Every structure is written in structure tokens, then in C-alpha cells.
Amino acid sequence: MSARPAAPPAIAAPRLAAWPLLALGALLLLTVAAVAVSRWSERAPAPPAARDAAAPTVLAYTFHDRADGAIDVRRVPDAALVHTVPAQSNGFLRGTLRGMARERKRRGIGPERAVHLVAHADGRLWLDDPATGWRADLKAFGPTNAAAFAPLLPPQ
């Protein structure tokens, strides 16, 4: 009779501990849940406390296109002419106003409602449209572009 050769001994695969995988899965699930709650709540992030100790200067203006391509900037409430942006100049100011006008047109709001130019003591400068909630941080585009709005600021 022939003897069968003995089978080689089985090598056991190393076993991973289950707890690290469970902890990693729980962390991943918690992260996804936190992002989902944040996105669904649609709350803006809270500004840093005491970032702006002094009250900002809020200036209200309306912007009116002229037939020659210039833009008249009028102060609210007296409609006094504050500045005229010449035709074919100041691309950043025009582009910013175009973005705001596009949002107003989409919502059926005309140019007669005031826009706020908000100047903070720390140099931040915002263009804010309360009619639509549209807002642009003008300093985010650099000091040269923000300076395009300097003629609209009160003298210091």
C-alpha cells in the first residue's frame, strides 16, 4: 500500500484586531454626519469675537448707467451725485456692479434700491446688497482693486 504524503502544516494568517477598524469606521461616520449637519443647517460661520471693535461706516448708494457708458453714483437718501465712473474705465468696479446687477435682475429688483458700502476701521471693505443678500469682500481682490471704491469713501 502506498502511503499518502502528509499535508504541509497550514500557516495561519495574522489576525488583525477588530477595534482599530471599528474606531476608524466610527470616526469616518462621525465626520460625514458633522459635514451633513453643517451643510443642511445653512448657517454662516460665526465671525471671530471682537474682530471689529469700532462700528463700521455704512454708506448707502445707488448706481445708474448712463447712455454714454458712464456710471453715476448717487448718495441715498438725497440722490446727490457723489462720483461718476467714466466709460471704458475701472473694470473691477464695473465687474463687481455687474455681478450685483445680475442677481438683482434675476430677482426682479431694480437699481433704485440702495447698496451699502461698508468700511471697517481695520481696513476691510464690503459691498453689500441688502435687497438680495449679495455681498462682496472688496479687500479679498487685493488693495489695487479695493482702491477702485476709494472715491466713494468719505475723506479721512
Side-chain angles (χ1 to χ4, degrees):
M1 251 204 261
S2 79
R4 286 186 153 185
I11 300 175
R15 262 189 77 142
L16 295 175
W19 70 266
L21 292 176
L22 291 174
L24 186 61
L27 179 63
L28 181 64
L29 185 62
L30 183 64
T31 303
V32 170
V35 169
V37 167
S38 173
R39 297 283 299 182
W40 289 330
S41 69
E42 296 184 24
R43 288 181 20 186
R51 182 175 180 182
D52 198 7
T57 302
V58 180
L59 306 162
Y61 297 114
T62 56
F63 298 90
H64 303 277
D65 291 323
R66 294 190 341 195
D68 65 355
I71 300 172
D72 283 340
V73 182
R74 298 194 174 271
R75 185 176 50 227
V76 173
D78 62 359
L81 182 63
V82 173
H83 184 66
T84 299
V85 180
Q88 303 297 321
S89 70
N90 208 328
F92 177 71
L93 187 139
R94 289 175 179 278
T96 304
L97 294 178
R98 205 175 357 231
M100 180 187 62
R102 186 178 319 116
E103 184 63 25
R104 283 181 164 218
K105 185 175 183 179
R106 189 174 74 80
R107 295 182 186 210
I109 300 168
E112 63 282 346
R113 304 252 322 251
V115 174
H116 295 157
L117 185 62
V118 183
H120 295 265
D122 64 0
R124 289 179 294 140
L125 189 62
W126 295 88
L127 188 63
D128 186 26
D129 184 3
T132 62
W134 184 91
R135 174 185 269 186
D137 177 1
L138 302 174
K139 289 286 186 172
F141 297 98
T144 305
N145 286 327
F149 287 85
L152 307 181
L153 296 172
Q156 293 186 349

